[in-house]
Protein backbone atom coordinates (compact mmCIF):
# COMPACT_ATOMS: atom_id res chain seq x y z
CA UNK A 1 0.00 0.00 0.00
CA UNK A 2 1.12 3.52 -0.70
CA UNK A 3 2.09 5.83 2.15
CA UNK A 4 2.95 9.52 2.41
CA UNK A 5 5.18 10.91 5.14
CA UNK A 6 5.58 14.52 6.21
CA UNK A 7 8.25 14.58 8.90
CA UNK A 8 7.86 18.24 9.88
CA UNK A 9 4.75 18.80 12.02
CA UNK A 10 5.52 22.53 12.20
CA UNK A 11 7.70 25.00 10.32
CA UNK A 12 8.12 28.73 10.58
CA UNK A 13 9.51 31.35 8.23
CA UNK A 14 10.07 35.09 8.22
CA UNK A 15 8.05 37.11 5.75
CA UNK A 16 9.86 37.44 2.37
CA UNK A 17 12.12 34.48 3.16
CA UNK A 18 12.10 31.01 1.60
CA UNK A 19 10.95 27.81 3.26
CA UNK A 20 10.95 24.18 2.14
CA UNK A 21 8.42 21.59 3.30
CA UNK A 22 9.41 17.94 3.03
CA UNK A 23 7.41 14.99 1.78
CA UNK A 24 8.39 11.41 1.05
CA UNK A 25 6.19 8.64 -0.25
CA UNK A 26 6.32 4.95 -0.81
CA UNK A 27 4.89 3.19 -3.83
CA UNK A 28 5.64 0.38 -6.22
CA UNK A 29 3.76 2.10 -9.03
CA UNK A 30 5.50 3.94 -11.85
CA UNK A 31 2.65 6.24 -12.88
CA UNK A 32 1.05 8.53 -10.33
CA UNK A 33 0.35 12.12 -9.36
CA UNK A 34 1.64 14.15 -6.43
CA UNK A 35 -0.01 17.22 -4.96
CA UNK A 36 0.47 19.87 -2.33
CA UNK A 37 -2.73 21.20 -0.78
CA UNK A 38 -3.01 24.21 1.49
CA UNK A 39 -5.60 24.36 4.26
CA UNK A 40 -5.94 27.80 5.89
CA UNK A 41 -8.02 28.32 9.06
CA UNK A 42 -11.11 28.58 6.84
CA UNK A 43 -10.51 24.79 6.33
CA UNK A 44 -10.98 25.00 2.56
CA UNK A 45 -8.60 22.60 0.76
CA UNK A 46 -6.76 24.59 -1.90
CA UNK A 47 -4.56 22.95 -4.50
CA UNK A 48 -1.15 24.62 -4.53
CA UNK A 49 0.75 22.56 -7.08
CA UNK A 50 0.68 19.20 -8.82
CA UNK A 51 3.28 16.94 -10.42
CA UNK A 52 2.86 14.05 -12.79
CA UNK A 53 5.36 11.29 -12.12
CA UNK A 54 6.26 10.78 -15.77
CA UNK A 55 7.34 14.42 -16.10
CA UNK A 56 10.96 15.01 -15.13
CA UNK A 57 10.59 18.77 -15.02
CA UNK A 58 9.72 20.15 -11.60
CA UNK A 59 6.38 21.95 -11.42
CA UNK A 60 6.24 25.66 -10.55
CA UNK A 61 3.33 27.95 -9.78
CA UNK A 62 4.42 31.53 -9.16
CA UNK A 63 6.18 31.53 -5.75
CA UNK A 64 5.65 27.79 -5.27
CA UNK A 65 7.90 25.14 -6.74
CA UNK A 66 8.62 21.51 -6.08
CA UNK A 67 11.73 19.36 -6.01
CA UNK A 68 10.56 16.03 -7.35
CA UNK A 69 13.06 13.20 -6.96
CA UNK A 70 11.37 10.11 -8.33
CA UNK A 71 14.13 7.62 -7.49
CA UNK A 72 14.31 8.92 -3.93
CA UNK A 73 10.49 9.15 -3.72
CA UNK A 74 10.74 12.69 -2.46
CA UNK A 75 8.46 15.64 -3.25
CA UNK A 76 9.35 18.81 -1.36
CA UNK A 77 7.59 22.17 -1.66
CA UNK A 78 9.54 25.41 -1.77
CA UNK A 79 7.76 28.66 -0.99
CA UNK A 80 9.72 31.75 -2.03
CA UNK A 81 9.11 35.30 -0.83
CA UNK A 82 6.81 34.00 1.93
CA UNK A 83 3.74 36.08 2.70
CA UNK A 84 1.55 36.25 5.79
CA UNK A 85 -1.25 34.66 3.77
CA UNK A 86 0.86 31.54 3.26
CA UNK A 87 0.34 30.58 6.91
CA UNK A 88 -1.70 27.35 6.85
CA UNK A 89 -1.54 23.57 7.09
CA UNK A 90 0.11 22.05 4.05
CA UNK A 91 -0.68 18.50 2.98
CA UNK A 92 1.28 16.38 0.58
CA UNK A 93 -0.87 13.88 -1.29
CA UNK A 94 -0.33 10.92 -3.60
CA UNK A 95 -2.73 9.58 -6.17
CA UNK A 96 -2.24 6.56 -8.35
CA UNK A 97 -2.89 7.10 -12.04
CA UNK A 98 -5.40 4.25 -11.78
CA UNK A 99 -8.87 5.39 -12.75
CA UNK A 100 -10.89 7.11 -9.98
CA UNK A 101 -8.32 6.32 -7.32
CA UNK A 102 -8.23 8.10 -3.97
CA UNK A 103 -5.86 10.73 -2.62
CA UNK A 104 -3.53 9.48 0.11
CA UNK A 105 -2.50 12.31 2.40
CA UNK A 106 0.45 12.92 4.67
CA UNK A 107 -0.12 14.12 8.21
CA UNK A 108 0.43 17.76 7.31
CA UNK A 109 2.89 20.54 8.17
CA UNK A 110 1.69 23.66 9.95
CA UNK A 111 3.48 26.68 8.49
CA UNK A 112 3.73 29.88 10.50
CA UNK A 113 4.83 33.09 8.84
CA UNK A 114 6.28 35.85 11.01
CA UNK A 115 6.36 39.52 9.99
CA UNK B 1 -20.93 29.77 -8.87
CA UNK B 2 -19.47 27.44 -6.22
CA UNK B 3 -17.85 24.41 -7.83
CA UNK B 4 -18.35 21.88 -5.01
CA UNK B 5 -20.83 22.79 -2.29
CA UNK B 6 -21.76 21.05 0.93
CA UNK B 7 -24.64 21.57 3.33
CA UNK B 8 -24.64 22.15 6.17
CA UNK B 9 -21.27 23.71 6.99
CA UNK B 10 -21.75 23.00 10.68
CA UNK B 11 -23.74 20.23 12.31
CA UNK B 12 -24.11 19.75 16.07
CA UNK B 13 -26.13 16.77 17.23
CA UNK B 14 -26.62 14.28 20.04
CA UNK B 15 -25.22 10.77 20.18
CA UNK B 16 -27.57 8.23 18.67
CA UNK B 17 -29.16 10.61 16.17
CA UNK B 18 -29.22 10.14 12.39
CA UNK B 19 -27.97 12.93 10.17
CA UNK B 20 -27.21 13.65 6.52
CA UNK B 21 -24.66 15.83 4.73
CA UNK B 22 -25.34 16.85 1.15
CA UNK B 23 -22.81 17.50 -1.59
CA UNK B 24 -23.32 18.92 -5.05
CA UNK B 25 -20.84 19.73 -7.80
CA UNK B 26 -21.51 21.83 -10.89
CA UNK B 27 -18.26 20.98 -12.66
CA UNK B 28 -19.74 18.21 -14.76
CA UNK B 29 -17.40 15.71 -13.11
CA UNK B 30 -18.18 12.01 -13.12
CA UNK B 31 -16.47 10.97 -9.88
CA UNK B 32 -17.20 12.13 -6.34
CA UNK B 33 -15.57 11.34 -3.01
CA UNK B 34 -16.07 11.65 0.74
CA UNK B 35 -13.04 12.23 2.97
CA UNK B 36 -12.93 12.46 6.77
CA UNK B 37 -10.53 14.80 8.60
CA UNK B 38 -10.12 13.85 12.25
CA UNK B 39 -9.20 16.02 15.22
CA UNK B 40 -5.49 15.60 14.42
CA UNK B 41 -6.13 16.95 10.90
CA UNK B 42 -5.51 13.57 9.28
CA UNK B 43 -7.46 13.18 6.02
CA UNK B 44 -8.65 9.80 4.85
CA UNK B 45 -10.86 8.56 2.03
CA UNK B 46 -14.22 7.07 2.95
CA UNK B 47 -16.04 6.49 -0.33
CA UNK B 48 -15.93 7.27 -4.00
CA UNK B 49 -18.62 7.05 -6.65
CA UNK B 50 -18.30 7.15 -10.41
CA UNK B 51 -21.48 7.86 -12.38
CA UNK B 52 -23.60 6.88 -9.37
CA UNK B 53 -21.73 3.60 -8.85
CA UNK B 54 -19.78 2.86 -5.67
CA UNK B 55 -16.09 2.43 -6.49
CA UNK B 56 -14.26 2.77 -3.15
CA UNK B 57 -15.58 1.79 0.27
CA UNK B 58 -12.65 2.14 2.62
CA UNK B 59 -13.73 -0.09 5.55
CA UNK B 60 -16.10 2.51 6.89
CA UNK B 61 -18.68 1.34 9.50
CA UNK B 62 -21.98 0.48 7.86
CA UNK B 63 -23.62 3.24 9.89
CA UNK B 64 -22.29 5.45 7.09
CA UNK B 65 -24.24 5.15 3.88
CA UNK B 66 -23.43 7.24 0.83
CA UNK B 67 -26.12 7.85 -1.76
CA UNK B 68 -25.65 9.23 -5.25
CA UNK B 69 -29.00 10.12 -6.89
CA UNK B 70 -27.15 11.44 -9.95
CA UNK B 71 -23.55 12.11 -10.88
CA UNK B 72 -23.70 15.71 -9.61
CA UNK B 73 -24.73 14.72 -6.07
CA UNK B 74 -23.21 12.51 -3.39
CA UNK B 75 -24.87 12.58 0.00
CA UNK B 76 -23.64 11.01 3.21
CA UNK B 77 -26.09 9.61 5.73
CA UNK B 78 -24.90 8.62 9.18
CA UNK B 79 -27.00 6.48 11.52
CA UNK B 80 -26.67 6.19 15.29
CA UNK B 81 -24.03 8.88 15.60
CA UNK B 82 -21.15 8.24 18.01
CA UNK B 83 -18.74 10.62 19.71
CA UNK B 84 -15.93 9.35 17.47
CA UNK B 85 -17.79 10.51 14.37
CA UNK B 86 -16.98 14.12 15.29
CA UNK B 87 -14.78 15.36 12.46
CA UNK B 88 -14.75 17.51 9.34
CA UNK B 89 -16.20 15.74 6.31
CA UNK B 90 -15.06 16.83 2.86
CA UNK B 91 -16.72 16.11 -0.42
CA UNK B 92 -14.57 16.22 -3.58
CA UNK B 93 -15.00 15.60 -7.28
CA UNK B 94 -12.84 14.81 -10.28
CA UNK B 95 -13.18 14.08 -13.96
CA UNK B 96 -11.52 10.83 -14.91
CA UNK B 97 -10.44 11.46 -18.45
CA UNK B 98 -7.02 11.54 -20.07
CA UNK B 99 -8.28 14.55 -22.01
CA UNK B 100 -8.65 16.55 -18.80
CA UNK B 101 -6.16 19.45 -18.60
CA UNK B 102 -5.29 18.46 -15.03
CA UNK B 103 -5.84 14.69 -14.78
CA UNK B 104 -5.97 13.30 -11.28
CA UNK B 105 -6.91 16.59 -9.66
CA UNK B 106 -9.71 16.55 -7.10
CA UNK B 107 -11.75 19.63 -6.25
CA UNK B 108 -12.86 19.94 -2.65
CA UNK B 109 -15.97 21.36 -1.05
CA UNK B 110 -15.74 23.67 2.00
CA UNK B 111 -16.16 20.84 4.49
CA UNK B 112 -18.84 20.08 7.09
CA UNK B 113 -17.80 20.18 10.73
CA UNK B 114 -19.80 17.53 12.57
CA UNK B 115 -19.86 17.68 16.38
CA UNK B 116 -21.48 14.82 18.27
CA UNK B 117 -22.33 15.58 21.91
Amino acid sequence: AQTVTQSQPEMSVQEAETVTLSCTYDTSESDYYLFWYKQPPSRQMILVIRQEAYKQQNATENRFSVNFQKAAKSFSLKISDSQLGDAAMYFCAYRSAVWTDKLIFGTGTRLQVFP
Amino acid sequence: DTAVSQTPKYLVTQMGNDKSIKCEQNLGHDTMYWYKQDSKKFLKIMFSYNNKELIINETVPNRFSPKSPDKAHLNLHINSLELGDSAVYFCASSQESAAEPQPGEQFFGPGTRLTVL
Side-chain angles (χ1 to χ4, degrees), chain A residues 51-99:
Chain A
Q51 176 81 43
E52 289 155 295
Y54 69 86
K55 289 187 178 175
Q56 291 189 337
Q57 187 172 8
N58 289 324
T60 57
E61 285 287 341
N62 301 314
R63 298 181 295 107
F64 299 88
S65 61
V66 297
N67 184 1
F68 173 49
Q69 303 286 331
K70 191 171 183 180
K73 294 179 184 169
S74 169
F75 183 61
S76 60
L77 174 70
K78 185 169 91 170
I79 306 174
S80 304
D81 186 25
S82 297
Q83 300 176 358
L84 294 176
D86 295 333
M89 282 288 287
Y90 285 81
F91 292 96
C92 179
Y94 170 100
R95 208 205 105 151
S96 168
V98 168
W99 180 75

Side-chain angles (χ1 to χ4, degrees), chain A residues 16-36:
Chain A
E17 297 294 305
T18 295
V19 65
T20 299
L21 308 184
S22 302
C23 173
T24 58
Y25 58 94
D26 191 25
T27 184
S28 57
E29 297 177 326
S30 58
D31 197 13
Y32 49 87
Y33 308 106
L34 295 164
F35 304 89
W36 278 98

Side-chain angles (χ1 to χ4, degrees), chain B residues 45-56:
Chain B
I45 185 75
M46 299 175 71
F47 302 102
S48 78
Y49 269 72
N50 176 267
N51 278 320
K52 305 192 294 175
E53 273 194 53
L54 180 66
I55 304 296
I56 295 174

Side-chain angles (χ1 to χ4, degrees), chain A residues 2-19:
Chain A
Q2 296 88 7
T3 57
V4 177
T5 302
Q6 293 180 249
S7 58
Q8 306 154 317
E10 288 194 7
M11 292 285 284
S12 60
V13 64
Q14 205 88 26
E15 212 177 351
E17 297 294 305
T18 295
V19 65

Side-chain angles (χ1 to χ4, degrees), chain B residues 38-108:
Chain B
D38 63 23
S39 58
K40 294 190 171 137
K41 302 287 188 185
F42 186 59
L43 277 146
K44 192 167 181 218
I45 185 75
M46 299 175 71
F47 302 102
S48 78
Y49 269 72
N50 176 267
N51 278 320
K52 305 192 294 175
E53 273 194 53
L54 180 66
I55 304 296
I56 295 174
N57 181 343
E58 199 81 359
T59 60
V60 176
N62 57 15
R63 297 183 296 103
F64 290 78
S65 52
K67 285 194 171 43
S68 183
D70 55 61
K71 72 175 194 176
H73 296 84
L74 180 60
N75 303 323
L76 184 63
H77 189 76
I78 316 170
N79 288 329
S80 303
L81 277 154
E82 299 177 358
L83 293 176
D85 297 333
S86 295
V88 178
Y89 293 85
F90 284 97
C91 178
S93 73
S94 69
Q95 181 64 23
E96 299 298 311
S97 163
E100 273 296 293
Q102 305 281 18
E105 182 175 343
Q106 295 184 12
F107 294 76
F108 282 80

